Amino acid sequence: MLQLGWTMRKASLIVAIAACALSGASARGAAQDDEARTALFARYAEALRRIHHVPGISAAILRDGRMLWSKGLGFQDAEARVAATPDTLYDIASLTKTFASTLLLQCVERGTLSLDDRMSRFTTAIPEADATVRHVLSHTSQAPAGTVYRYDGNRFAALTAVITACHGRPFRQALAAEILDRAAMTSSVPGHDLEQPTSSLAALFEPPALSRYSAAITRLATPYATSGDSFSKTEFPPRDISASAGLLSSVNDLAKYDAAIDMNLFISAASQTAAWTTAGASFPYGLGWFSQRVAGSRVIWHYGQWQQYSALYIKVPDQRLTLIMLANSAGLGEAYPLAARDVMVSPFARTFLGLFL
């Protein structure tokens, strides 16, 4: 507990130094363009990586759909000294939820689904009789449905059955066809179990796709668990995939995803706005995305959290600005209650938003 407290204090100090560096430059009258801000963020991201004992991080910053910066920090395999790169693959954990949101809203646009359909139409996994697709998608499906926000990845996974029904094909097949292939996310893999698929799983994809998935998985970062001020290699998280978690991707591929979102390649601008809109001030979560205001700007975000991998994805739509971070330990979020609703509890987020907003 003392170690964790000291780590958080050091992280807060890094954020404060970043703010001082930026304000000092402003006081000198120097124009703080994106290049200067990005250079500062890169320095502090590396310092925060070391403070949190994260073996490897891959990160990217985008503005107007253009890559400002992408880099690997540390190692995708610490023992073999293989450096992390922007093409390193990670299990992105709950960032998968944003993809599920898009697939569901595609169904709404096509008329094969209403968000007000009851979950009982698709699955028995949600016991509340009045819980709808909208309730599960917004983490408001419990006691009584629509009145309380409670983040629950297991309940969100029940949307897998909804996506399968409204798309008329298995979830991972819809994910590949409707998002990964459309955005040319050629390094992303809809499930780690595609490394050695069963015959029934392999039958969902053409041989070239299966070969591409197998090749991509060779770049998957080694998973690590952190204990105190050290880390050690650990087991992979569950290798399957659901609407809640399990997609493997890289920051370079997620940059393509981000650009496609901004171009409304997957769903209309109105549907995307709906996904980013909460039901009220007491709800921090829209339809598959967190939403809040920071320094006068709307910030759309999500995080991913396994013991072995973590992720952070932040968008500032009115500035067409994005940060994507992936790590091969829990260090991007384990010490901070991101599910509670405030991205600013993360020192990585505070540093980024403090520099750019």
Side-chain angles (χ1 to χ4, degrees):
M1 198 67 183
L2 288 174
Q3 175 67 34
L4 177 60
W6 173 230
T7 296
M8 293 178 73
R9 287 196 296 274
K10 287 192 289 184
S12 295
L13 180 60
I14 291 291
V15 175
I17 292 171
C20 287
L22 184 58
S23 64
S26 298
R28 294 191 300 271
Q32 289 297 312
D33 59 9
D34 282 342
E35 183 177 353
R37 296 170 193 272
T38 297
L40 274 175
F41 178 77
R43 288 167 50 197
Y44 294 119
E46 172 61 9
L48 288 167
R49 181 188 73 82
R50 292 174 180 270
I51 287 172
H52 288 279
H53 311 291
V54 181
I57 291 176
S58 297
I61 296 174
L62 295 91
R63 170 87 77 180
D64 293 321
R66 179 176 63 89
M67 189 80 81
L68 293 180
W69 171 78
S70 64
K71 189 172 178 62
L73 308 172
F75 299 97
Q76 72 176 52
D77 185 329
E79 289 75 21
R81 309 301 284 177
V82 178
T85 77
D87 288 315
T88 298
L89 251 64
Y90 300 81
D91 188 319
I92 68 171
S94 285
L95 294 195
T96 307
K97 291 179 173 66
T98 70
F99 290 78
S101 166
T102 297
L103 290 170
L104 289 166
L105 291 171
Q106 285 177 342
C107 288
V108 172
E109 290 186 346
R110 295 168 187 175
T112 58
L113 177 73
S114 167
L115 294 183
D116 296 319
D117 287 341
R118 302 234 175 156
M119 286 296 296
S120 58
R121 172 184 166 189
F122 306 99
T123 177
T124 60
I126 304 297
E128 292 81 3
D130 60 342
T132 66
V133 174
R134 185 188 307 277
H135 292 141
V136 177
L137 186 53
S138 60
H139 294 288
T140 60
S141 63
Q142 301 181 60
T147 63
V148 177
Y149 162 77
R150 189 175 302 149
Y151 188 91
D152 191 323
N154 290 330
R155 294 174 75 90
F156 199 99
L159 294 169
T160 308
V162 181
I163 293 167
T164 296
C166 72
H167 275 275
R169 63 174 94 179
F171 168 74
R172 69 173 91 214
Q173 200 177 49
L175 172 61
E178 300 288 352
I179 298 181
L180 305 183
D181 293 349
R182 279 201 204 181
M185 297 173 67
T186 53
S187 293
S188 297
V189 183
H192 191 176
D193 49 1
L194 283 166
E195 182 178 30
Q196 295 180 318
T198 62
S199 57
S200 59
L201 182 53
L204 297 177
F205 300 98
E206 296 295 326
L210 291 171
S211 295
R212 191 174 74 245
Y213 296 151
S214 180
I217 291 173
T218 65
R219 301 196 305 277
L220 181 61
T222 301
Y224 293 91
T226 303
S227 178
D229 59 358
S230 64
F231 54 80
S232 58
K233 190 180 295 187
T234 189
E235 297 295 319
F236 287 103
R239 293 174 184 250
D240 60 354
I241 190 171
S242 72
S244 188
L247 178 62
L248 309 183
S249 195
S250 66
V251 294
N252 275 348
D253 256 18
L254 289 175
K256 296 177 183 178
Y257 173 59
D258 184 74
I261 288 173
D262 289 346
M263 291 186 293
N264 302 119
L265 181 64
F266 307 126
I267 54 178
S268 69
S271 292
Q272 193 64 70
T273 297
W276 293 343
T277 302
T278 67
S282 62
F283 294 98
Y285 204 86
L287 303 175
W289 298 83
F290 288 91
S291 178
Q292 69 183 94
R293 297 200 73 81
V294 177
S297 291
R298 182 177 59 161
V299 174
I300 307 300
W301 61 281
H302 216 290
Y303 77 103
Q305 193 71 52
W306 289 118
Q307 179 192 12
Q308 308 92 333
Y309 294 100
S310 52
L312 187 63
Y313 182 9
I314 300 173
K315 291 181 66 60
V316 187
D318 63 4
Q319 295 198 27
R320 296 182 62 82
L321 175 69
T322 296
L323 169 69
I324 303 165
M325 302 187 78
L326 303 174
N328 58 348
S329 78
L332 287 179
E334 185 177 39
Y336 307 100
L338 283 162
R341 68 184 59 217
D342 184 9
V343 73
M344 295 297 278
V345 300
S346 161
F348 295 95
R350 288 203 309 277
T351 301
F352 172 71
L353 294 173
L355 287 170
F356 281 86
L357 300 189

